[in-house]
Amino acid sequence: MSTVLLWLRNDLRLHDQSALHAACGLGAQHLLPVVCLPDVRQTTPWGFARIGPHRRAWVASTIQNLLQPLLDKRSQLLILNQPAAAALPTLARAVGASTIVCEKIAAPEEQAEVQALRAAGLQVHTVWHGSLLHPDQLPWPVQQLPRVFTPFRQAVEQAELQPAAPLAPPSTLPPWPASVPAHDLHGQAEALAAFAGAPPRADARSAFPYLQGGLHGGEAAALAHLAQYLARSLPHSYKRTRNGLMGLDYSSKWSPWLATGALSPRQALAQLRQFEAEHGASDGSYWLWFELLWRDYFRFLHLQHGRALYRARGLGAARATPHDDERFAAWCAGQTGQPLVDAAMRELAATGYLSNRLRQVAASYLIHDLACDWRAGAAWFKSQLLDYDAYSNQGNWLYIAGRGTDPQGGRRFDPVKQAATYDPDGSYQRLWGTA
């Protein structure tokens, strides 16, 4: 085996990079790291772009900031402006490779990409490394995953399960093959810039003002953000502030880097545990572990149910899924007439970010008050959120819609009551022009 392709997906980092270690462990003479840019022209069934400007800018920043770390390891990153199913078989033939190593992603579209590559005659080794715990660590086979999160969490904690220690980056990497086609190398910077598009205008109101200060995509910024969050002892206040609506520090803001894989969840937890060892554990630091376990649960739920999570009925019995295009368009534009919901949707459109509390409120309003298809809302969040994560996005929308794992059969959040509780003086609604 002379050349192995390392196809980077949602794991754009060198620390705790199991796929990278697996690729190096195959003993190939050459290693070719490659990333395939999504097609920005694709639209959803509801007529809007599948990947919007904020997410494009964040992913592009992440890719750009992976170039130098690879150069430091005497390697490079090949950026292809084509879908993987079309680009990688052609590339493999050009460099004499038959093997691809990549992250395993248990979502239908991502699984279809791997199946297409295998159908093209390539050997694809997939590596699971997007969660804290490995599926093999669980107290039961993943197909017997508890239907509800709480029993899952309790079993994990009673068994005192802990993730493996994060892997250090390899000290060196096998060199690039000399046979990389020149046309693939030409115009990489231009392709990435075209994918990113014009930088979205900075909005000083944003709770996550990305591409400003230290809030850039990529591994270095992720680890720096994690370090400063811990250095300021913010885990201790996390449970108390996590339902905030404005500002950077009410929540950890780890999610944008976790979503692209620039930050490994095992690395985040390892440093959180070190923080607890030095400064003491608290309700707040425990709640960060709690949220990371929710993130794991949604991943294992995909391993258990796969494509069923993307049906209109989800995991429930078949039932009507109403939809109204005009009401949905008003929701997307922040023009429903409901002040808190409209403020939230305006923040999302302007910044690509939204607090977890408001994601729940907005989703609930679309489903339960406007009687629109939950899948349309999930697709809108997928397009708009710079921290979009397939597992958590799908899992949370199913939960609110009562078509997933919620034991209460869905959650309706009264936006008036939510505003009175979390925005009692209307400051958030005034900030986004709806009060």
Side-chain angles (χ1 to χ4, degrees), residues 357-369:
R357 172 60 51 179
L358 289 176
R359 294 182 199 201
Q360 294 178 311
V361 172
S364 165
Y365 193 76
L366 180 73
I367 296 166
H368 301 298
D369 293 81

mmCIF file with all atom_site columns, all heavy atoms in Angstrom, residues 357-369:
data_model
loop_
_atom_site.group_PDB
_atom_site.id
_atom_site.type_symbol
_atom_site.label_atom_id
_atom_site.label_alt_id
_atom_site.label_comp_id
_atom_site.label_asym_id
_atom_site.label_entity_id
_atom_site.label_seq_id
_atom_site.pdbx_PDB_ins_code
_atom_site.Cartn_x
_atom_site.Cartn_y
_atom_site.Cartn_z
_atom_site.occupancy
_atom_site.B_iso_or_equiv
_atom_site.pdbx_formal_charge
_atom_site.auth_seq_id
_atom_site.auth_comp_id
_atom_site.auth_asym_id
_atom_site.auth_atom_id
_atom_site.pdbx_PDB_model_num
ATOM 1   N N   . ARG A 1 357 ? -31.984 27.775 24.807 1.00 0.00 ? 357 ARG A N   1
ATOM 2   C CA  . ARG A 1 357 ? -33.335 28.072 25.275 1.00 0.00 ? 357 ARG A CA  1
ATOM 3   C C   . ARG A 1 357 ? -34.205 28.557 24.120 1.00 0.00 ? 357 ARG A C   1
ATOM 4   O O   . ARG A 1 357 ? -35.341 28.118 23.927 1.00 0.00 ? 357 ARG A O   1
ATOM 5   C CB  . ARG A 1 357 ? -33.266 29.126 26.384 1.00 0.00 ? 357 ARG A CB  1
ATOM 6   C CG  . ARG A 1 357 ? -34.597 29.692 26.847 1.00 0.00 ? 357 ARG A CG  1
ATOM 7   C CD  . ARG A 1 357 ? -35.546 28.658 27.395 1.00 0.00 ? 357 ARG A CD  1
ATOM 8   N NE  . ARG A 1 357 ? -34.958 27.798 28.412 1.00 0.00 ? 357 ARG A NE  1
ATOM 9   C CZ  . ARG A 1 357 ? -35.627 26.828 29.039 1.00 0.00 ? 357 ARG A CZ  1
ATOM 10  N NH1 . ARG A 1 357 ? -36.914 26.592 28.742 1.00 0.00 ? 357 ARG A NH1 1
ATOM 11  N NH2 . ARG A 1 357 ? -35.023 26.072 29.942 1.00 0.00 ? 357 ARG A NH2 1
ATOM 12  N N   . LEU A 1 358 ? -33.667 29.473 23.302 1.00 0.00 ? 358 LEU A N   1
ATOM 13  C CA  . LEU A 1 358 ? -34.462 30.039 22.221 1.00 0.00 ? 358 LEU A CA  1
ATOM 14  C C   . LEU A 1 358 ? -34.607 29.075 21.050 1.00 0.00 ? 358 LEU A C   1
ATOM 15  O O   . LEU A 1 358 ? -35.606 29.132 20.318 1.00 0.00 ? 358 LEU A O   1
ATOM 16  C CB  . LEU A 1 358 ? -33.863 31.363 21.769 1.00 0.00 ? 358 LEU A CB  1
ATOM 17  C CG  . LEU A 1 358 ? -34.043 32.498 22.789 1.00 0.00 ? 358 LEU A CG  1
ATOM 18  C CD1 . LEU A 1 358 ? -33.337 33.757 22.328 1.00 0.00 ? 358 LEU A CD1 1
ATOM 19  C CD2 . LEU A 1 358 ? -35.522 32.777 23.033 1.00 0.00 ? 358 LEU A CD2 1
ATOM 20  N N   . ARG A 1 359 ? -33.673 28.172 20.875 1.00 0.00 ? 359 ARG A N   1
ATOM 21  C CA  . ARG A 1 359 ? -33.860 27.134 19.857 1.00 0.00 ? 359 ARG A CA  1
ATOM 22  C C   . ARG A 1 359 ? -35.090 26.300 20.205 1.00 0.00 ? 359 ARG A C   1
ATOM 23  O O   . ARG A 1 359 ? -35.889 25.953 19.328 1.00 0.00 ? 359 ARG A O   1
ATOM 24  C CB  . ARG A 1 359 ? -32.609 26.246 19.765 1.00 0.00 ? 359 ARG A CB  1
ATOM 25  C CG  . ARG A 1 359 ? -31.390 26.979 19.261 1.00 0.00 ? 359 ARG A CG  1
ATOM 26  C CD  . ARG A 1 359 ? -30.161 26.090 19.125 1.00 0.00 ? 359 ARG A CD  1
ATOM 27  N NE  . ARG A 1 359 ? -28.947 26.893 19.089 1.00 0.00 ? 359 ARG A NE  1
ATOM 28  C CZ  . ARG A 1 359 ? -27.782 26.513 18.598 1.00 0.00 ? 359 ARG A CZ  1
ATOM 29  N NH1 . ARG A 1 359 ? -27.655 25.317 18.065 1.00 0.00 ? 359 ARG A NH1 1
ATOM 30  N NH2 . ARG A 1 359 ? -26.729 27.319 18.628 1.00 0.00 ? 359 ARG A NH2 1
ATOM 31  N N   . GLN A 1 360 ? -35.241 25.976 21.475 1.00 0.00 ? 360 GLN A N   1
ATOM 32  C CA  . GLN A 1 360 ? -36.396 25.190 21.904 1.00 0.00 ? 360 GLN A CA  1
ATOM 33  C C   . GLN A 1 360 ? -37.703 25.970 21.744 1.00 0.00 ? 360 GLN A C   1
ATOM 34  O O   . GLN A 1 360 ? -38.701 25.428 21.262 1.00 0.00 ? 360 GLN A O   1
ATOM 35  C CB  . GLN A 1 360 ? -36.215 24.771 23.364 1.00 0.00 ? 360 GLN A CB  1
ATOM 36  C CG  . GLN A 1 360 ? -35.074 23.802 23.595 1.00 0.00 ? 360 GLN A CG  1
ATOM 37  C CD  . GLN A 1 360 ? -34.894 23.460 25.062 1.00 0.00 ? 360 GLN A CD  1
ATOM 38  O OE1 . GLN A 1 360 ? -34.838 24.343 25.912 1.00 0.00 ? 360 GLN A OE1 1
ATOM 39  N NE2 . GLN A 1 360 ? -34.817 22.185 25.366 1.00 0.00 ? 360 GLN A NE2 1
ATOM 40  N N   . VAL A 1 361 ? -37.680 27.227 22.148 1.00 0.00 ? 361 VAL A N   1
ATOM 41  C CA  . VAL A 1 361 ? -38.889 28.049 22.061 1.00 0.00 ? 361 VAL A CA  1
ATOM 42  C C   . VAL A 1 361 ? -39.313 28.228 20.602 1.00 0.00 ? 361 VAL A C   1
ATOM 43  O O   . VAL A 1 361 ? -40.495 28.086 20.248 1.00 0.00 ? 361 VAL A O   1
ATOM 44  C CB  . VAL A 1 361 ? -38.671 29.413 22.738 1.00 0.00 ? 361 VAL A CB  1
ATOM 45  C CG1 . VAL A 1 361 ? -39.862 30.347 22.490 1.00 0.00 ? 361 VAL A CG1 1
ATOM 46  C CG2 . VAL A 1 361 ? -38.435 29.240 24.240 1.00 0.00 ? 361 VAL A CG2 1
ATOM 47  N N   . ALA A 1 362 ? -38.349 28.534 19.746 1.00 0.00 ? 362 ALA A N   1
ATOM 48  C CA  . ALA A 1 362 ? -38.663 28.765 18.329 1.00 0.00 ? 362 ALA A CA  1
ATOM 49  C C   . ALA A 1 362 ? -39.158 27.490 17.665 1.00 0.00 ? 362 ALA A C   1
ATOM 50  O O   . ALA A 1 362 ? -40.112 27.518 16.870 1.00 0.00 ? 362 ALA A O   1
ATOM 51  C CB  . ALA A 1 362 ? -37.435 29.307 17.605 1.00 0.00 ? 362 ALA A CB  1
ATOM 52  N N   . ALA A 1 363 ? -38.520 26.365 17.962 1.00 0.00 ? 363 ALA A N   1
ATOM 53  C CA  . ALA A 1 363 ? -38.951 25.096 17.381 1.00 0.00 ? 363 ALA A CA  1
ATOM 54  C C   . ALA A 1 363 ? -40.360 24.740 17.841 1.00 0.00 ? 363 ALA A C   1
ATOM 55  O O   . ALA A 1 363 ? -41.213 24.326 17.043 1.00 0.00 ? 363 ALA A O   1
ATOM 56  C CB  . ALA A 1 363 ? -37.967 23.997 17.753 1.00 0.00 ? 363 ALA A CB  1
ATOM 57  N N   . SER A 1 364 ? -40.606 24.894 19.129 1.00 0.00 ? 364 SER A N   1
ATOM 58  C CA  . SER A 1 364 ? -41.933 24.604 19.669 1.00 0.00 ? 364 SER A CA  1
ATOM 59  C C   . SER A 1 364 ? -43.004 25.460 18.998 1.00 0.00 ? 364 SER A C   1
ATOM 60  O O   . SER A 1 364 ? -44.079 24.963 18.640 1.00 0.00 ? 364 SER A O   1
ATOM 61  C CB  . SER A 1 364 ? -41.929 24.856 21.178 1.00 0.00 ? 364 SER A CB  1
ATOM 62  O OG  . SER A 1 364 ? -43.248 24.914 21.680 1.00 0.00 ? 364 SER A OG  1
ATOM 63  N N   . TYR A 1 365 ? -42.720 26.726 18.805 1.00 0.00 ? 365 TYR A N   1
ATOM 64  C CA  . TYR A 1 365 ? -43.712 27.634 18.223 1.00 0.00 ? 365 TYR A CA  1
ATOM 65  C C   . TYR A 1 365 ? -44.036 27.226 16.786 1.00 0.00 ? 365 TYR A C   1
ATOM 66  O O   . TYR A 1 365 ? -45.207 27.223 16.376 1.00 0.00 ? 365 TYR A O   1
ATOM 67  C CB  . TYR A 1 365 ? -43.197 29.070 18.260 1.00 0.00 ? 365 TYR A CB  1
ATOM 68  C CG  . TYR A 1 365 ? -44.265 30.099 17.979 1.00 0.00 ? 365 TYR A CG  1
ATOM 69  C CD1 . TYR A 1 365 ? -45.208 30.430 18.948 1.00 0.00 ? 365 TYR A CD1 1
ATOM 70  C CD2 . TYR A 1 365 ? -44.346 30.727 16.743 1.00 0.00 ? 365 TYR A CD2 1
ATOM 71  C CE1 . TYR A 1 365 ? -46.202 31.366 18.697 1.00 0.00 ? 365 TYR A CE1 1
ATOM 72  C CE2 . TYR A 1 365 ? -45.337 31.668 16.469 1.00 0.00 ? 365 TYR A CE2 1
ATOM 73  C CZ  . TYR A 1 365 ? -46.259 31.978 17.450 1.00 0.00 ? 365 TYR A CZ  1
ATOM 74  O OH  . TYR A 1 365 ? -47.248 32.901 17.200 1.00 0.00 ? 365 TYR A OH  1
ATOM 75  N N   . LEU A 1 366 ? -43.017 26.848 16.019 1.00 0.00 ? 366 LEU A N   1
ATOM 76  C CA  . LEU A 1 366 ? -43.255 26.430 14.637 1.00 0.00 ? 366 LEU A CA  1
ATOM 77  C C   . LEU A 1 366 ? -44.139 25.188 14.592 1.00 0.00 ? 366 LEU A C   1
ATOM 78  O O   . LEU A 1 366 ? -45.087 25.109 13.800 1.00 0.00 ? 366 LEU A O   1
ATOM 79  C CB  . LEU A 1 366 ? -41.928 26.144 13.935 1.00 0.00 ? 366 LEU A CB  1
ATOM 80  C CG  . LEU A 1 366 ? -42.073 25.691 12.475 1.00 0.00 ? 366 LEU A CG  1
ATOM 81  C CD1 . LEU A 1 366 ? -42.479 26.857 11.580 1.00 0.00 ? 366 LEU A CD1 1
ATOM 82  C CD2 . LEU A 1 366 ? -40.799 25.038 11.963 1.00 0.00 ? 366 LEU A CD2 1
ATOM 83  N N   . ILE A 1 367 ? -43.851 24.232 15.460 1.00 0.00 ? 367 ILE A N   1
ATOM 84  C CA  . ILE A 1 367 ? -44.568 22.956 15.414 1.00 0.00 ? 367 ILE A CA  1
ATOM 85  C C   . ILE A 1 367 ? -45.951 23.055 16.034 1.00 0.00 ? 367 ILE A C   1
ATOM 86  O O   . ILE A 1 367 ? -46.958 22.667 15.415 1.00 0.00 ? 367 ILE A O   1
ATOM 87  C CB  . ILE A 1 367 ? -43.739 21.871 16.145 1.00 0.00 ? 367 ILE A CB  1
ATOM 88  C CG1 . ILE A 1 367 ? -42.415 21.621 15.428 1.00 0.00 ? 367 ILE A CG1 1
ATOM 89  C CG2 . ILE A 1 367 ? -44.541 20.578 16.270 1.00 0.00 ? 367 ILE A CG2 1
ATOM 90  C CD1 . ILE A 1 367 ? -41.418 20.823 16.251 1.00 0.00 ? 367 ILE A CD1 1
ATOM 91  N N   . HIS A 1 368 ? -46.018 23.577 17.238 1.00 0.00 ? 368 HIS A N   1
ATOM 92  C CA  . HIS A 1 368 ? -47.246 23.488 18.033 1.00 0.00 ? 368 HIS A CA  1
ATOM 93  C C   . HIS A 1 368 ? -48.176 24.695 17.886 1.00 0.00 ? 368 HIS A C   1
ATOM 94  O O   . HIS A 1 368 ? -49.369 24.559 18.127 1.00 0.00 ? 368 HIS A O   1
ATOM 95  C CB  . HIS A 1 368 ? -46.888 23.281 19.501 1.00 0.00 ? 368 HIS A CB  1
ATOM 96  C CG  . HIS A 1 368 ? -46.084 22.041 19.747 1.00 0.00 ? 368 HIS A CG  1
ATOM 97  N ND1 . HIS A 1 368 ? -46.548 20.775 19.475 1.00 0.00 ? 368 HIS A ND1 1
ATOM 98  C CD2 . HIS A 1 368 ? -44.815 21.868 20.238 1.00 0.00 ? 368 HIS A CD2 1
ATOM 99  C CE1 . HIS A 1 368 ? -45.621 19.874 19.786 1.00 0.00 ? 368 HIS A CE1 1
ATOM 100 N NE2 . HIS A 1 368 ? -44.558 20.518 20.252 1.00 0.00 ? 368 HIS A NE2 1
ATOM 101 N N   . ASP A 1 369 ? -47.651 25.844 17.516 1.00 0.00 ? 369 ASP A N   1
ATOM 102 C CA  . ASP A 1 369 ? -48.498 27.032 17.359 1.00 0.00 ? 369 ASP A CA  1
ATOM 103 C C   . ASP A 1 369 ? -48.792 27.337 15.894 1.00 0.00 ? 369 ASP A C   1
ATOM 104 O O   . ASP A 1 369 ? -49.911 27.724 15.556 1.00 0.00 ? 369 ASP A O   1
ATOM 105 C CB  . ASP A 1 369 ? -47.842 28.238 18.022 1.00 0.00 ? 369 ASP A CB  1
ATOM 106 C CG  . ASP A 1 369 ? -47.775 28.098 19.530 1.00 0.00 ? 369 ASP A CG  1
ATOM 107 O OD1 . ASP A 1 369 ? -46.864 27.413 20.030 1.00 0.00 ? 369 ASP A OD1 1
ATOM 108 O OD2 . ASP A 1 369 ? -48.645 28.655 20.213 1.00 0.00 ? 369 ASP A OD2 1
#
